[in-house]
Every structure is written in structure tokens, then in C-alpha cells.
Amino acid sequence: MKHISILGSTGSIGTQTLEVIKLFPNHFNVVALSTNSNAALIIEQARTFQPELVHVSSHEAFLEVKSALSDMDIDILHGSEDLSALATHKKADIVMSAIVGFAGLQPTMDAIEAGKDIALANKETLVVAGDIVMQLATEKNVNIIPVDSEHSAIFQSMQGENYDRIRRLILTASGGPFRNTKIKQLNSVTLKDALKHPNWNMGNKITIDSATMMNKGLEVIEAYHLFKIPPFKIDVVIHPQSIIHSMVEFKDSSIKAQMGLPDMRVPIQYALTYPDRLKNTFPELNFEAFNQLTFERPDTEKFPALNIAYEAIRRGGNSPCSINAANEVAVGAFIDGKLKFTQIAAIVEKTMETTDFCVNPRLSELIETDREARTIAHELIAKL
Ligand code: NDP
Ligand code: MG
């Protein structure tokens, strides 16, 4: 029986994690759940899965959840220290890190510090502080098992291999909702257009990141840290069907790919059962229905965010942290109708260029960089 804490159980990854857990009651037990502010859903989840701890970040939602679950033997927590208690709960064998954005970093670090294996969905953790996080994981002998479908594909392709054998990693990208949109029309696309992802149903932030292709840029940085591969050996190819989830080319020219229908429950389940596999009844891939798997080069003129991410990793230091913060602010502003779609990448690039550079930042300096970059991005948006 594996005991699991879920950071961000009310999100897209969080709810799908609970779907997987529900299929295997003899293998998994939920120890702790967390939400930002979705009181109704976490109350329902707590009644179904009966965890020991529930964490609610918003004060108002916390009061609602506390009162609604007063008949149950569950500790209802609030505040950032308590989020750490959830990430480090003594019974947890593995922590699903599925909070979105920079907010996921600290609890994930706390969980690693406490020696918990991590099922990592929150890619921002590695984008912001990959060197520190991976070093801590090595020191604490903790497994970081990727949940992001591309990285899960690479991780699965790497079983039985070692990093010295890799020639390059090939990350696949669907191309998002604007793959066929003319560059001139991108100026006037709406939030509704950007939220229509062709293949995946995900939280708002990552869906917008997929539309700008910043998501793929963040994933290049994530892959660099997870697999210790320099960025010039990480290629991106557009694969609109999202059947091949990513590939590893080895030095003998052999390429291993991991395939399947686009269904996040598959990489989530693998992260929870690794290195084992459990039988499920998810839909099977019908090859005749996908008789054409196609590939294209990404259009980096139309989607400059991808190259901005490569540039951030080339600069190193706190640059990836800066672009992550600026991107979170810019995506938020686009969602609030305060920024055009095409302005997102421009804000991110300008913020990176303006942020004070730091070669080898400590965690406290990255927290400061995050603050500084957010301020810069807000100011740039206000000036538009
Ligand atoms: P969602 O927005 O759907 O869910 C985010 C979760 O985190 C929710 O439970 C949310 O609570 C909680 N949360 C948000 N902000 C905070 C905060 N400041 N403090 C505490 N909790 C917070 O995101 P996704 O599930 O789509 O994504 C989660 C992570 O996984 C992201 O890093 C994303 O990049 C990554 N990922 C997601 C994929 C997907 O298919 N969705 C695929 C690959 C990676 P509330 O419900 O109250 O908002
Ligand atoms: Mg992905």
C-alpha cells in the first residue's frame, strides 16, 4: 500500500490523480489533500477519500471547509507552514506535486527535504530552481518521477539505459490551438480561442502556455534538469496528433518513443506505480484511427516563447526563474483581458532582460528574483 499526499488535488492533475487512486483501492491510500480555494470540491474529495489532513490556502474557503467537515476526524490546515506539514506528513510515501506555478516550489522542496518521493507535475519547480531541487533530491536519495507526459515518455524510454548513451531528446508538441493560425491573426485571438486546446483538457495556465508554446520552452528546461542533457541536445518537433509523447535518440541512432492516447491518467499512474505497472481499462489506441502521424518544425517566428526559454537556459543563473515569473504575470493579465496574446512573449523577454542577473542563485535569491521579475512584468504591462 502506497500512501500519497496530493498538493493541488482540486486541479486538473489533482482530480485525475484521485481518479487513478480510486481504481486501485488495494494499492493506494490518500493521506492528505490540498486546494487553493475550491471548498466544495475538496469537501467532496475529503468525504470520499478520508485523508488525515486537508489544506486550504484561502482563508474564506478554509473556514467553510472546517465547518463542513467538523463531523470527520480530519485536520483542516491553513497557512504556508501548514502546507509544508502536508508535504512532509510522516505517513506519505510519495507526494504528488500538482499545484500550478511558483507556489508549488516550496512545498515540493519541503517534501524532498523530508525524503519523500515526488511525482512531479509542477514543472515550474524545476524551471525556477532545477539545480537546487535536483541536488537536494540526490542528497536525500529521493526519486523525482515526472508526470508531464513528455518527460514521463523520456523517463520510460530511459529504463534500462543511462544518460551517456543519449544523442538527443526529442520533445513532441501538439502545436496548440493556433498551429494553423496566420501570424497576423494572432494579434486578435481571444481567451476563449486560446483555451481551446486540440488534444488535452488542462488547467488554464498550462493551456495558455501551450497556445504560446511557452509550455514547450518550460519543458525544455524541465528536461535539461531531469535528464542532465544540455539544451542544444533537446529538440522540439510538432506532432499534432499527440500520440508519440516524446522520444530519446541514442548514440547508435536508435530511437525509442513512448506512445499512447493523450490521457494524463497514464503518466500519473506510471508515476504512482513506478517501477511497476498495474492493469487498467483506459481506452486502447486504435492505430487505424490514427493512420497518419505527422511531424513539423515549430514556427519560432509565430511562437517566440520557445526561443526565449532556450535563451534563458543559455544565460543560466536566475534567468529561467525570471521568465517563469514574468510568464505567470503575463498569462494572468491575458486571462484578465489586460494583455493581448502576442504581448505575452514580449513581456517575458523584456522582463528577463531587465531582471538583475545572478550567476549561481541560492533559493532565497530565487525567491527575490521571482518577486523582482513579477514587479517588472506588472510595470511593463501597466505602461502598455
Ligand atoms: P490547475 O489550475 O487545474 O490546478 C492547480 C491546483 O493547484 C488546484 O488544486 C489549485 O487550487 C491549486 N493552487 C493554485 N494556486 C495555488 C496556490 N497559490 N497555493 C496553493 N494551491 C494552489 O492546474 P493543472 O492541474 O493543470 O496543473 C498543475 C501543474 O501540473 C502545473 O504546474 C502544470 O504545468 C502541470 N502539468 C499539468 C498538466 C495537465 O494536463 N493539466 C500536464 C502536465 C503538467 P484551486 O482548485 O482552488 O484553484
Ligand atoms: Mg507536457
Side-chain angles (χ1 to χ4, degrees):
M1 179 71 87
K2 255 188 200 171
H3 299 280
I4 305 170
S5 265
I6 307 177
L7 296 163
S9 64
T10 51
S12 157
I13 293 291
T15 50
Q16 291 179 89
T17 301
L18 287 171
E19 266 181 57
V20 169
I21 289 173
K22 209 170 182 176
L23 296 175
F24 304 105
N26 296 329
H27 290 84
F28 303 130
N29 171 48
V30 176
V31 174
L33 298 171
S34 93
T35 184
N36 189 22
S37 60
N38 193 338
L41 183 54
I42 205 147
I43 290 166
E44 188 190 315
Q45 291 178 343
R47 291 208 173 274
T48 308
F49 292 94
Q50 313 204 339
E52 296 190 5
L53 297 181
V54 161
H55 185 277
V56 187
S57 296
S58 130
H59 187 64
E60 205 183 335
F62 162 71
L63 295 176
E64 187 182 338
V65 173
K66 201 167 165 56
S67 140
L69 296 177
S70 58
D71 60 322
M72 293 187 76
D73 187 17
I74 301 177
D75 282 339
I76 317 293
L77 309 175
H78 173 63
S80 56
E81 272 168 36
D82 283 348
L83 190 54
S84 156
L86 186 135
T88 60
H89 190 285
K90 61 178 185 313
K91 271 201 192 155
D93 301 305
I94 183 162
V95 173
M96 169 58 75
S97 170
I99 288 177
V100 59
F102 184 84
L105 171 63
Q106 190 62 56
T108 306
M109 292 274 292
D110 294 339
I112 299 171
E113 184 73 52
K116 309 295 181 192
D117 281 342
I118 307 291
L120 187 72
N122 178 278
K123 63 191 84 187
E124 294 90 345
T125 288
L126 290 181
V127 172
V128 169
D131 290 335
I132 296 172
V133 169
M134 293 310 288
Q135 192 183 330
L136 186 64
T138 306
E139 274 167 30
K140 299 286 173 183
N141 204 14
V142 152
N143 286 312
I144 308 271
I145 309 149
V147 169
D148 213 349
S149 57
E150 296 76 3
H151 307 73
S152 176
I154 293 169
F155 187 76
Q156 293 186 53
S157 302
M158 285 304 295
Q159 297 305 307
E161 304 287 355
N162 65 47
Y163 296 146
D164 296 343
R165 297 178 184 157
I166 300 176
R167 180 184 290 160
R168 63 176 174 139
L169 303 180
I170 304 150
L171 297 182
T172 52
S174 70
F178 304 132
R179 185 171 63 90
N180 292 321
T181 307
K182 296 253 175 345
I183 191 163
K184 277 192 194 139
Q185 290 168 349
L186 272 190
N187 227 359
S188 54
V189 297
T190 64
L191 176 62
K192 207 168 147 218
D193 300 329
L195 286 176
K196 267 189 229 135
H197 195 282
N199 303 340
W200 300 97
N201 186 6
M202 311 178 283
N204 283 355
K205 192 255 179 187
I206 182 173
T207 306
I208 303 301
D209 285 348
S210 299
T212 60
M213 286 200 72
M214 178 53 87
N215 182 50
K216 212 47 55 180
L218 301 179
E219 289 183 352
V220 169
I221 303 175
E222 183 185 10
Y224 159 71
H225 288 294
L226 279 172
F227 306 112
K228 322 263 181 260
I229 300 300
F232 67 87
K233 290 188 180 176
I234 306 175
D235 288 340
V236 171
V237 63
I238 305 291
H239 167 46
Q241 298 80 20
S242 296
I243 295 296
I244 294 182
H245 298 307
S246 278
M247 300 175 258
V248 181
E249 183 176 280
F250 295 94
K251 59 187 177 189
D252 62 357
S253 302
S254 182
I255 297 177
K256 281 195 197 171
Q258 186 263 346
M259 306 170 72
L261 289 169
D263 182 342
M264 281 310 295
R265 294 174 304 174
V266 176
I268 289 170
Q269 181 177 317
Y270 185 72
L272 298 182
T273 62
Y274 165 80
D276 207 351
R277 294 185 187 268
L278 291 177
K279 183 179 169 189
N280 64 28
T281 54
F282 298 162
E284 281 175 15
L285 173 59
N286 170 0
F287 279 88
E288 284 112 68
F290 288 92
N291 59 4
Q292 278 203 336
L293 298 184
T294 61
F295 305 92
E296 302 162 17
R297 186 193 291 271
D299 182 343
T300 51
E301 193 194 339
K302 199 161 90 179
F303 301 111
L306 184 57
N307 278 349
I308 296 170
Y310 272 105
E311 175 60 17
I313 200 166
R314 193 195 62 72
R315 292 183 188 196
N318 60 346
S319 295
C321 174
S322 165
I323 66 160
N324 179 69
N327 183 56
E328 288 189 28
V329 170
V331 169
F334 173 67
I335 289 174
D336 293 343
K338 293 180 184 141
L339 198 64
K340 281 192 203 163
F341 181 78
T342 42
Q343 290 171 321
I344 297 174
I347 295 290
V348 172
E349 187 168 32
K350 189 96 181 96
T351 303
M352 173 170 72
E353 277 156 13
T354 317
T355 308
D356 261 345
F357 184 68
C358 174
V359 176
N360 204 359
R362 288 171 302 187
L363 187 60
S364 58
E365 289 164 321
L366 290 171
I367 292 168
E368 182 46 38
T369 298
D370 177 75
R371 225 177 269 136
E372 185 196 348
R374 279 170 201 271
T375 306
I376 294 169
H378 278 299
E379 284 168 6
L380 290 169
I381 293 167
K383 274 192 222 147
L384 287 172

